[in-house]
Every structure is written in C-alpha cells, then in structure tokens.
C-alpha cells in the first residue's frame, strides 16, 4: 500500500527549506521509476506529486506497455506484482489492406519479447507505492510544483504548494516528470516543438468483449485507426482514432458513432454483446511534443520530454526507459561525485539518439495520410512473411529504431517477398487470397 502523506513525510515544516540530491516533479510512471532507480544508486530523492490520493492514476491511456518497457519493469522488480495483478502479455496483430500481420515466434526460436496490458488504475498506484517504499525516496503527495528556484543561471530547487502551505525544496537536480503539459518545462522556459496530429481519438472499457486469439488488435485503415487490448480483470479497452475531418459528424452522436466505427472494422469485435464499464472519453486535439530534455540543473523525462502519438501506444515504455537512462547517466553526479552538466549532456544525447527517429516517423504519420511507398512495402511484406512480421514486431515494440527497421537487408527481403507474391499470384490457378478490409480479395 502507498503510505498516506503524513506517514511518508513530515509536513509540519511548511515554509522551511529542505535539501535533497534530486527533486522530481510528478509521481507517475516516469517520476516513480526514476525515484526508485536513483535511490537504489544512493541518491536522496524528493518525489513530489500534486495529487493527494496515493491511488490516483492517468485516465487517458489505453494501458498497453510495449516490450521495450519489460527490462525496466523487471529491473524495478514489478514483474511478479504485475502478473499477480492479472497483467496480460501485450501480444498483438495488425490489420492492413494486405491482411493481418501476425508476429509469432520462429519455430524452435525464442519467444517474442512482450510487455504488459495493465490498467493504469492498477499500474500507477503500484509503481508509486514501490517508490514510496524505496529507502532514499520521500514521496510527498499533495505537493504541486508552482515555481522553480534559480541561482546563477541554473535551477537549484522548486517551490511547491502543499496542504500545509508553500514549501521550498532544494536539490542539485530538478527533474520534470510532470507529463505532457510539464509545469517544470514551462517554468524553465524550455519550449516544446509541436507536430500537428490530424486524428482525434476516443476510448472506452468493456467486459465480455472477446478478441480473436485473445490478443491485442490494431487496425490500419488508412488514414483511420482503431485498436483493442485485453487487460487485467477481463477488461478490454477499445480505441478509435479517425481522421479529424470526421470529427463534427462523429461528435453529433458520440456513442452511436463509436459503436458504428467498431462494428465496421474488419473482423470486428462483438461490441453490441459487450458490457461498457466506462464512459467514452477522448481527445480532439493532441499534438505531438518534443522538448530539449535538459537545461542547467534540470532534466525532463517521460511525456515532459517527448509526447508521441497515442496511436502507437509507446509513451509508457518511453517514460520508463527515459527514467532509466537518466538514472544511469546522472546518479554519481547527483550525489556530488561527478560533473552534473556532463552527465546531463550524456542523458540528452542518449534520449535524442533513442527517440528522435521514432518521433520523426510518428509526426509524419500523424498527418492522417495513407501509407507511403516504404510503409506499403514493409507492411505488405510483413503480412505475407513470418520473419518480416517478427521484424515489424521488434520495431512496433520500440526494441529497434527506424534505421534498423528500414535497413537495406530488410528492404531487400521485403521487395523479394512481394515479388514472389506477385509471381505466385500471376500463375493461373495459384493466386493467393488476402483479406482486404474484411473482404476476401485476390
Ligand atoms: C489517449 C491516450 C492513450 C494512450 N495509450 C497508451 C498506451 O496504450 N500505451 C502507452 O505506452 N502509452 C500510451 N499513452 C501515453 C502514456 O499515457 C504516457 O506516455 C505516459 O503516461 C507518460 O508517463 P509520464 O510519467 O511521463 O506522465 P504522466 O503519466 O502524465 O504523469 C505525470 C505526473 O505528474 C503529476 N504532475 C503534473 N504536474 C505536476 C506539478 N506541477 N507538480 C507535481 N506533480 C505534477 C501528475 O499528477 C502525474 O501524476 C496514451 C496517451 C493517451 C493520451
């Protein structure tokens, strides 16, 4: 259990100045993970969360953690607790106009890497209580960061509003893990580079909504998108992400439009037999953001540094990964045993190297356009070839970057697969059948 505020920190000293090595704003996924990983390296951490409820969680999420999250969850020691809580392995298949891409382990090969589908109402309190129980972390609930303390051109602390009044907390490093609208980034004047997202999205939870094969499904409908993920406790999350041009008509009858959209999906899940367990919630304007992840005395992790397009379902994995990169790079310097600015520069380089390419592709795909020629090549070949389906799984799981995904060998293999497919199709009586948007086409 997460401890209540009064048990984890004495707030009688409102107005006093506290000193820590690191102060983190935001006890969501990124902030809690960073606090744990830093404290294990001997760093004294103040973890501030504006919400007072230890069970608070992010509502706007479809809770599918890609396989890049697994090593961090494992290092955090959360895997047994997640499995006990009923987390579902995040296996998935993707519908394209060439049929389903169904990544499967190679015969006699290792199992495919996986993450977990687990509702944030379970995951967020779990990781936060884990942080609260980590020696070296003070979880301060009900602490909203409202100002940064600066000295000599660098950030040296924060001021927070708390139920007991204002409080100043100083530290060698301030970490903004406070999400997409990061107050820390704004207060530090770190601008966000925005990329328009020309899709809108709505999601809802259901029970009794079986999915084919019991695994996640994503529909690429060019340009519309949809996905469905089985979660813990028998809950299936359904999300639709149509082109914004459809928004006015869609909003006229939200429930009717949502159901009609799902019903029209190829191999549609039986939504009319399912029991809704949440409202339909969504977002009509959700641009992608990237920010420079460091400034003097300051680092950004998770959505505060980079907010991708929700349609790829990768933000939770990146929140956890960026927390780990930061902890690995800055822990010694945060305790005064190294050059903090150099450590921050290393973190910034690592962050950019790992995520810039993904964000570039996501920003382009967020233009709600049909597949471009390279996507057509790779997606069509992956629907026809098991090893390319596995290759695509590694990319979708963010275990490889765009350069490895589109390496010359993979492109050559995809071309050969498609050529072979065309030759087979041209032979009289040997034309392979593929499912196109639910209809069987030759
Ligand atoms: C519709 C939708 C669906 C998504 N689906 C998926 C998915 O399926 N898979 C996936 O991997 N990602 C998904 N994402 C993205 C994912 O939700 C985020 O990337 C992830 O939550 C980022 O984690 P974070 O810790 O950086 O930020 P958050 O989870 O936003 O946590 C930020 C924390 O900071 C706190 N905070 C904010 N301001 C302050 C302040 N001033 N002082 C103190 N505390 C503060 C907040 O209360 C919160 O606890 C989705 C996003 C959307 C919008």
């Amino acid at each position: 259990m997460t401890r209540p505020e009064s048990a984890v920190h004495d707030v009688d000293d409102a107005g006093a100045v506290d000193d820590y090595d690191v102060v983190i704003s935001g006890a969501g996924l990124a902030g809690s993970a960073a606090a744990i990983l830093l404290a294990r390296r001997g760093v004294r951490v103040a973890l501030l969360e504006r919400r007072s409820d230890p069970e608070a969680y992010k509502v706007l999420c479809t809770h599918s953690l890609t396989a890049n999250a697994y090593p961090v969850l494992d290092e955090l020691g959360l895997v047994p607790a997640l499995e006990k809580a009923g987390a579902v392995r995040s296996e998935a298949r993707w519908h394209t106009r060439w049929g389903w891409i169904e990544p499967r382990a190679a015969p006699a090969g290792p199992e495919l890497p996986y993450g977990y589908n687990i509702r944030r109402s379970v995951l967020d309190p779990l990781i936060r209580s884990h942080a609260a129980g980590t020696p070296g972390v003070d979880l301060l609930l009900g602490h909203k960061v409202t100002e940064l303390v600066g000295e000599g051109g660098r950030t040296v602390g924060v001021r927070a509003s708390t139920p007991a009044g204002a409080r100043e907390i100083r530290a060698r490093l301030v970490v903004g893990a406070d999400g997409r609208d990061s107050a820390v980034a704004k207060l530090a004047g770190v601008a966000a580079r925005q990329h328009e997202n020309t899709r809108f999205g709505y999601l809802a939870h259901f029970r009794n909504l079986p999915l084919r094969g019991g695994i996640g499904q994503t529909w690429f409908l060019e340009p519309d998108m949809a996905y469905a993920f089985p979660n813990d406790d028998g809950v299936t999350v359904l999300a639709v992400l149509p082109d914004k041009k459809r928004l006015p008509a869609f909003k006229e009858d939200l429930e009717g439009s949502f159901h009609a959209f799902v019903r029209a999906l190829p191999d549609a899940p039986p939504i009319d037999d399912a029991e809704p367990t949440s409202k339909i919630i969504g977002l009509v304007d959700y641009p992608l953001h990237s920010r420079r992840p460091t400034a003097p005395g300051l680092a950004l992790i998770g959505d505060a540094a980079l907010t991708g397009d929700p349609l790829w379902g990768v933000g939770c994995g990146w929140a956890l990964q960026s927390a780990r990169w930061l902890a690995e790079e800055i822990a010694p310097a945060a305790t005064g045993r190294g050059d903090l600015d150099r450590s921050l520069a290393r973190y910034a380089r690592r962050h950019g190297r790992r995520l810039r390419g993904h964000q570039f592709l996501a920003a382009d795909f967020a233009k709600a356009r049909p597949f471009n020629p390279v996507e057509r090549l790779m997606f069509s070949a992956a629907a026809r070839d098991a090893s390319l389906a596995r290759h695509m799984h590694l990319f979708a799981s963010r275990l490889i970057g765009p350069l490895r995904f589109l390496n010359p060998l993979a492109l050559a293999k995809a071309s050969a697969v498609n050529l072979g497919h065309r030759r087979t199709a041209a032979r009289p009586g040997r034309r392979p059948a593929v499912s196109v948007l639910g209809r069987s086409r030759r």
Side-chain angles (χ1 to χ4, degrees):
M1 277 296 289
T2 306
R3 288 173 290 169
E5 179 187 351
S6 56
V8 293
H9 199 89
D10 179 5
V11 292
D12 290 345
D13 56 351
V17 177
D18 300 301
D19 278 319
Y20 287 88
D21 295 322
V22 173
V23 55
I24 300 176
S25 172
L29 297 184
S32 301
I36 296 166
L37 297 173
L38 284 165
R40 284 191 192 158
R41 291 168 169 83
V43 179
R44 289 170 309 129
V45 181
L47 176 59
L48 276 58
E49 169 55 48
R50 68 179 167 188
R51 294 176 293 185
S52 301
D53 179 2
E55 303 291 314
Y57 63 93
K58 185 167 189 281
V59 175
L60 214 46
C61 192
T62 48
H63 336 291
S64 184
L65 275 64
T66 36
N68 57 332
Y70 187 96
V72 192
L73 293 170
D74 190 33
E75 183 176 345
L76 291 167
L78 290 176
V79 168
L82 288 172
E83 299 229 337
K84 194 169 165 213
V88 177
R89 289 187 181 191
S90 60
E91 297 163 82
R93 51 215 287 278
W94 307 295
H95 188 274
T96 70
R97 61 170 128 148
W98 303 277
W100 286 95
I101 299 173
E102 312 212 39
R104 291 204 184 92
E111 66 178 344
L112 291 182
Y114 58 86
Y116 287 108
N117 301 337
I118 176 90
R119 284 171 303 164
R120 297 291 293 265
S121 52
V122 178
L123 177 63
D124 288 18
L126 181 71
I127 191 167
R128 193 175 297 124
S129 76
H130 205 61
T134 303
V137 177
D138 282 343
L139 172 63
L140 306 175
L141 297 172
H143 279 53
K144 180 179 178 186
V145 171
T146 53
E147 281 177 68
L148 296 183
V149 184
E151 264 175 27
R154 58 187 302 126
T155 302
V156 296
V158 300
R159 286 196 191 93
S161 65
T162 83
R167 177 167 188 179
E168 183 171 312
I169 303 179
R170 290 190 171 228
R172 285 194 181 90
L173 179 69
V174 170
V175 177
D178 44 359
R180 178 174 179 269
D181 296 321
S182 173
V184 166
K186 285 181 186 158
L187 292 166
V190 181
R193 181 156 181 241
Q194 284 209 20
H195 309 272
E196 191 189 5
N197 192 339
T198 55
R199 293 185 184 86
F200 64 96
Y202 284 101
L203 66 94
H205 296 196
F206 296 85
R207 280 188 200 283
N208 303 321
L209 184 54
L211 299 175
R212 220 175 96 183
I215 63 172
Q217 336 258 319
T218 297
W219 288 265
F220 287 90
L221 303 170
E222 299 183 64
D224 297 345
M225 297 279 305
Y227 47 81
F229 296 125
N231 274 256
D232 56 291
D233 202 22
V235 171
T236 295
V237 179
L238 268 180
V240 302
L241 297 127
D243 188 328
K244 260 190 192 164
K245 287 193 204 99
R246 300 179 61 167
L247 183 59
F250 202 94
K251 277 199 337 192
E252 270 173 27
D253 170 14
L254 184 56
E255 196 180 327
S257 305
F258 188 91
H259 278 67
F261 193 101
V262 174
R263 257 183 242 121
L265 293 171
D267 298 329
I271 188 169
D272 293 316
D273 303 334
E275 177 201 342
T277 58
S278 77
K279 286 193 210 149
I280 298 174
I281 55 167
L283 32 95
V284 295
D285 190 28
Y286 204 78
L288 290 69
H289 277 189
S290 340
R291 295 187 174 99
R292 194 162 35 88
T294 59
L298 188 139
L300 303 174
I301 55 177
D303 274 12
L306 185 145
T307 305
D309 188 336
L311 80 79
W312 297 110
V314 289
C316 297
W318 286 345
L320 295 169
Q321 281 189 299
S322 57
R324 185 195 221 183
W325 300 331
L326 182 76
E328 287 174 354
E329 298 297 352
I330 63 101
T335 55
R337 291 177 287 114
D339 185 321
L340 186 57
D341 290 339
R342 276 200 195 156
S343 308
L344 285 172
R346 278 201 305 276
Y347 165 66
R349 279 196 298 275
R350 195 165 170 186
H351 190 277
R353 230 180 14 247
R354 294 296 299 273
L355 302 189
R356 202 179 293 125
H358 288 292
Q359 185 78 334
F360 176 81
L361 291 189
D364 186 49
F365 198 72
K367 290 174 188 151
R369 52 163 179 73
F371 284 139
N372 65 30
V374 176
E375 289 158 354
R376 283 205 297 275
L377 171 68
M378 294 306 282
F379 278 74
S380 58
R384 293 164 182 154
D385 180 86
S387 71
L388 284 169
R390 280 192 289 280
H391 186 61
M392 180 150 276
H393 172 76
L394 295 182
F395 177 64
S397 305
R398 278 20 186 194
L399 291 167
I400 60 173
L403 288 181
R404 270 185 71 191
F405 177 53
L406 300 174
N407 75 69
L409 269 179
L411 293 173
K413 165 121 202 192
S415 306
V417 164
N418 285 349
L419 202 63
H421 175 81
R422 244 173 264 139
R423 280 201 190 118
T424 312
R427 266 186 239 146
R430 295 289 305 277
R431 296 161 70 205
V434 292
S435 150
V436 180
L437 300 184
R439 297 176 295 273
S440 184
R441 263 205 208 164
R442 297 209 168 251

